[in-house]
Amino acid sequence: MNDDRPVLLETRGTCMHLTLNRPKALNALSHTMVRLLDEALARAEQDEAIESVLLSGAGDRGLCAGGDIRALHDDARASGRASLEFWRDEYRLNARIARFPKPYVALMDGIVMGGGVGVSAHAGIRVVTERSRVAMPETAIGFVPDVGGTRLLAAAPGELGTHLALTGRSVGAADAILCGLADHHVPARLLPALTEALGKPTGPGGLAGPGASVADIVQGFATDPPAGELAAQRDWIDDCYAAGTVEDIIHKLRASGVPAAQTVADELLTKSPLALKVTLAAVRRAARLDSLEAVLDQEFRVSSRAFEHPDFVEGVRARIIDKDNAPQWKPGSLAEVDDQEVTRFFAPLGPGEQELALAPGPADTSVRDGQGGQGG
């Protein structure tokens, strides 16, 4: 009989195994799932018998494709507020994962996007496979990378994170490791054995031997990943994406003479112009903030504003619901985006709105934000 619980919890030896269990929806996160994960981690943190936590996804298509986009879309169309409470709890969960005091192993097999990155890429031990496709694809639906993604991407080597943030492109195992989104490659066929081994990290017969740490066990299964693409593209990516504005980035891509860069320039022009400019600002601001909590506070402000903007509903309609891939963005071009509107996304929330307030002090809104030197 199938178990229809959205999150499965099983303790195997000293390991608490959490399974996202909505395989037909690519394990998309609901508010209930976020709460269940948070409650399980709170228990695991206090239970001395639990030495580690393992996160995986049901089915063979992916760990998690992100939040429940249709539910968020419907809430936005109805001018609801449930999505903001979902993000409030989700971002707190992301922070808990990053600060979790015991080994937290995330199996980032298959599709790992958006909210799926949030529950995995902040883990202490992140495992990708030859099937992994990791992405923050928000600009395609008129949204902005969140769940701490702007911090992760800001920390990637050179301008790789800016490239991934603006294009929303997915990367495989080698590039995920290069960008700091993952740590180890383990062939998918070995994941069941790895899962079993993690249930008894200190017992005899483990791959890494008696007394092995969780990190040792994972390392014992790790192999070199299939070759990636980004390392060979660093020259033009670092040069073009160092520009100060989205317009200048596209100009440099066009002028580079590199066919792959020309393709990217065309691709960027299909994204929400406003989302592109806010995303560039968000990644550059995140690079100047001193903690994940401060970045999550900033992202909550940005997500709250993006949720109110018509591009989000239109982007989800065009890409996911009607699938006509012909969104009508407002404004329709980069030139029409008002820099003051970009700045508004980072402003403190207004009357009747509650800040996320994870960081001790207010998020820094004064750093350079990628809008031609404009202050926040």
Side-chain angles (χ1 to χ4, degrees):
M1 183 171 62
N2 291 332
D3 192 331
D4 60 0
R5 290 175 297 167
V7 176
L8 305 181
L9 190 158
E10 179 184 4
T11 300
R12 303 180 181 183
T14 60
C15 181
M16 176 183 282
H17 187 179
L18 302 173
T19 305
L20 306 181
N21 190 38
R22 294 182 66 202
K24 292 182 179 178
L26 263 172
N27 301 317
L29 292 173
S30 66
H31 202 163
T32 295
M33 293 168 74
V34 166
R35 289 173 173 147
L36 289 171
L37 289 170
D38 191 70
E39 291 168 3
L41 291 180
R43 291 200 303 274
E45 187 171 340
Q46 298 300 319
D47 189 343
E48 294 182 359
I50 298 298
E51 296 181 1
S52 64
V53 170
L54 175 68
L55 179 74
S56 65
D60 58 5
R61 296 168 61 204
L63 171 67
C64 175
D68 190 332
I69 294 296
R70 287 176 180 266
L72 297 170
H73 167 272
D74 293 347
D75 189 36
R77 284 195 65 187
S79 300
R81 306 293 290 177
S83 298
L84 302 186
E85 296 312 306
F86 165 72
W87 285 321
R88 189 183 302 279
D89 287 342
E90 183 184 25
Y91 298 176
R92 290 183 180 278
L93 173 64
N94 301 147
R96 179 188 284 278
I97 290 169
R99 305 295 181 225
F100 196 68
K102 300 178 182 181
Y104 179 113
V105 182
L107 302 184
M108 302 169 70
D109 184 34
I111 292 173
V112 186
M113 295 185 177
V117 173
V119 296
S120 61
H122 297 298
I125 302 173
R126 305 161 301 175
V127 175
V128 282
T129 75
E130 74 279 5
R131 305 187 300 197
S132 294
R133 300 304 302 176
V134 183
M136 296 297 294
E138 285 78 8
T139 56
I141 57 169
F143 204 67
V144 179
D146 64 339
V147 298
T150 58
R151 180 174 175 85
L152 293 165
L153 294 171
E159 295 292 337
L160 293 180
T162 310
H163 171 62
L164 296 183
L166 294 180
T167 63
R169 285 187 172 186
S170 64
V171 295
D175 288 334
I177 293 170
L178 171 64
C179 292
L181 301 173
D183 305 302
H184 305 284
H185 168 262
V186 174
R189 61 182 175 78
L190 296 182
L191 293 183
L194 172 59
T195 298
E196 181 179 355
L198 288 171
K200 45 184 179 182
T202 59
L207 185 66
S213 69
V214 171
D216 290 336
I217 290 171
V218 175
Q219 183 62 55
F221 284 85
T223 66
D224 291 334
E229 301 174 358
L230 292 180
Q233 299 175 341
R234 279 289 301 276
D235 286 350
W236 65 263
I237 287 176
D238 288 353
D239 178 57
C240 295
Y241 285 96
T245 67
V246 177
E247 292 95 329
D248 287 345
I249 288 171
I250 291 175
H251 174 75
K252 294 194 76 171
L253 290 168
R254 292 253 188 253
S256 70
V258 178
Q262 304 283 346
T263 299
V264 169
D266 293 339
E267 188 178 325
L268 289 176
L269 292 176
T270 70
K271 314 294 185 184
S272 159
L274 179 61
L276 286 175
K277 289 203 170 188
V278 175
T279 294
L280 181 61
V283 171
R284 291 190 169 165
R285 287 168 177 253
R288 298 287 298 276
L289 295 174
D290 61 4
S291 69
L292 172 62
E293 287 78 6
V295 171
L296 289 166
D297 286 345
Q298 173 176 280
E299 289 179 347
F300 187 74
R301 292 175 175 178
V302 171
S303 295
S304 298
R305 301 295 183 231
F307 180 71
E308 299 166 352
H309 196 276
D311 272 8
F312 175 57
V313 168
E314 173 62 7
V316 176
R317 179 207 66 76
R319 305 291 186 186
I320 295 170
I321 296 176
D322 295 342
K323 298 182 179 178
D324 59 20
N325 291 318
Q328 300 299 306
W329 304 121
K330 295 180 180 178
S333 70
L334 290 165
E336 296 174 90
V337 176
D338 183 350
D339 285 352
Q340 293 304 312
E341 174 69 1
V342 174
T343 300
R344 189 182 73 86
F345 275 70
F346 298 90
L349 299 180
E353 299 178 301
Q354 183 182 354
E355 296 276 0
L356 184 62
L358 283 178
D364 180 5
T365 59
S366 64
V367 297
R368 182 174 73 92
D369 61 8
Q371 297 303 316
Q374 166 195 318

